[in-house]
Amino acid sequence: MTAGIDGSRAAAALFERMDPGARPRLNVREQDGVPFLDAKVPGPFHVLFATRVGGESIGPYSGLNLDLRSADDPRVVERNRSRLEGILHLAGSHGTSGAEAGRSYRLVSPLQVHGLRVIGAAEYVAESAQRAGHVGGGVPCDGLTIHPELDRGLAPLLLFADCLPIVLVGEVDLAVIHGGWRGIIGGIVHAGARAMTGVPGLAVIGPSIGPCCFSVADEVADAFSRRFGPEVVLRDESSARVDLWAAAARSLAELNMAPSQIVNPRLCTSCNHDLFYSYRADGPVTGRQGCVVWAADS
Ligand SMILES: [Zn+2]
């Protein structure tokens, strides 16, 4: 799938294909063959969206698969995650010096279950260690917050293959959430905001399935229409599609966020499956790309 597209070509494609309105708010970068979007967010926070390009996985997982819960070779997935950690280290030290330059961050991947639970990253680490003896050992959670003091040294890594990565950034802390259709209709955006100490002032929606490709059953379309209004459903004679980006924007508007406070590159994972894993485009056996967030040391 990714054979033939290298990191720099993928980075160029990311820039060309993203919504031009998002270009001033998202840097496209490439490090050691791994392209990524680096959101311009305030404060000590960093928000990166990886693609599927630049990893060692092969077969249906071809590329930078970061999902240790997939049937991919776990040693290869670990090497892919190490590549990401290298980027995170360099991106974290970008423009800073001293302690920050030497900091390494610990990736924290929660067990995403399309639920509504959002908790602090350090709290998640403590809870999963208590329950299973190792990080990510099976404690369900679909969002994590990062506070520069409370969650020092931790970098939540959430995994996606069509669902919406949504990052809420406030003055005090940040939340990263997994927005599948169940989560969005269930209130995961509000749950993310409630889990934060501060008020979100900026939201970044990462690459995810667009209204072009998210065909759903009538019951799902009707539920979205009732919850968010008929504008989030696109119907033709044979099918209904849901605009999850518009539904997420509605949720953010309910949190008093203006459209100017929402960044969305409008990169559909299914349309652009040369760059991204997509459950819809690839089928159920595929990899997961990552959204990783952290706070730099002050
Ligand atoms: Zn699409």
Side-chain angles (χ1 to χ4, degrees):
M1 180 64 65
T2 55
I5 188 155
D6 64 19
S8 57
R9 277 183 52 210
L14 282 172
F15 184 81
E16 283 161 20
R17 298 183 204 173
M18 81 162 80
D19 185 313
R23 287 177 187 153
R25 319 279 288 272
L26 289 167
N27 286 318
V28 178
R29 298 174 64 187
E30 188 233 326
Q31 186 75 49
D32 298 331
V34 179
F36 56 97
L37 295 170
D38 182 1
K40 297 179 191 175
V41 297
F45 303 111
H46 291 266
V47 177
L48 297 193
F49 300 98
T51 74
R52 72 180 297 169
V53 179
E56 297 179 38
S57 293
I58 58 172
Y61 303 103
S62 172
L64 190 75
N65 177 34
L66 301 170
D67 188 3
L68 281 168
R69 296 183 178 96
S70 69
D72 195 359
D73 183 339
R75 293 163 302 183
V76 177
V77 177
E78 286 288 8
R79 289 204 295 273
N80 290 339
R81 290 166 72 108
S82 294
R83 287 188 179 204
L84 186 73
E85 284 172 321
I87 287 170
L88 194 138
H89 177 76
L90 288 165
S93 61
H94 183 72
T96 62
S97 59
E100 171 64 25
R103 161 70 78 183
S104 63
Y105 295 88
R106 180 179 174 193
L107 297 176
V108 182
S109 288
L111 176 62
Q112 300 167 206
V113 294
H114 295 277
L116 300 174
R117 188 158 183 256
V118 183
I119 62 172
E123 189 185 350
Y124 184 82
V125 169
E127 192 180 305
S128 53
Q130 202 177 25
R131 290 256 292 266
H134 65 279
V135 173
V139 181
C141 183
D142 283 85
L144 293 172
T145 61
I146 282 286
H147 183 289
E149 300 301 326
L150 302 176
D151 306 296
R152 185 180 289 266
L154 299 178
L157 169 67
L158 270 61
L159 302 175
F160 301 89
D162 285 345
C163 290
L164 279 61
I166 304 172
V167 183
L168 305 175
V169 187
E171 285 186 15
V172 181
D173 53 358
L174 163 159
V176 55
I177 59 177
H178 167 232
W181 73 261
R182 287 182 179 82
I184 288 173
I185 206 161
I188 185 83
V189 174
H190 292 263
R194 274 198 304 275
M196 293 170 67
T197 305
V199 176
L202 179 71
V204 188
I205 297 174
S208 41
I209 196 157
C212 36
C213 295
F214 192 51
S215 300
V216 296
D218 283 338
E219 310 86 79
V220 175
D222 293 344
F224 269 86
S225 184
R226 281 195 300 276
R227 169 64 181 84
F228 295 107
E231 310 80 48
V232 306
V233 178
L234 300 93
R235 293 183 195 273
D236 58 34
E237 320 78 62
S238 58
S239 70
R241 284 170 287 128
V242 163
D243 186 344
L244 291 175
W245 294 338
R250 283 294 173 95
S251 296
L252 293 165
E254 290 166 2
L255 295 169
N256 297 317
M257 296 184 76
S260 62
Q261 293 172 286
I262 303 169
V263 179
N264 183 356
R266 301 183 71 85
L267 284 163
C268 173
T269 41
S270 181
C271 288
N272 297 289
H273 66 103
D274 55 336
L275 300 177
F276 300 106
Y277 296 107
S278 169
Y279 185 93
R280 288 294 171 119
D282 301 329
V285 181
T286 188
R288 295 287 183 277
Q289 55 253 344
C291 169
V292 61
V293 300
W294 72 101
D297 285 348
S298 53

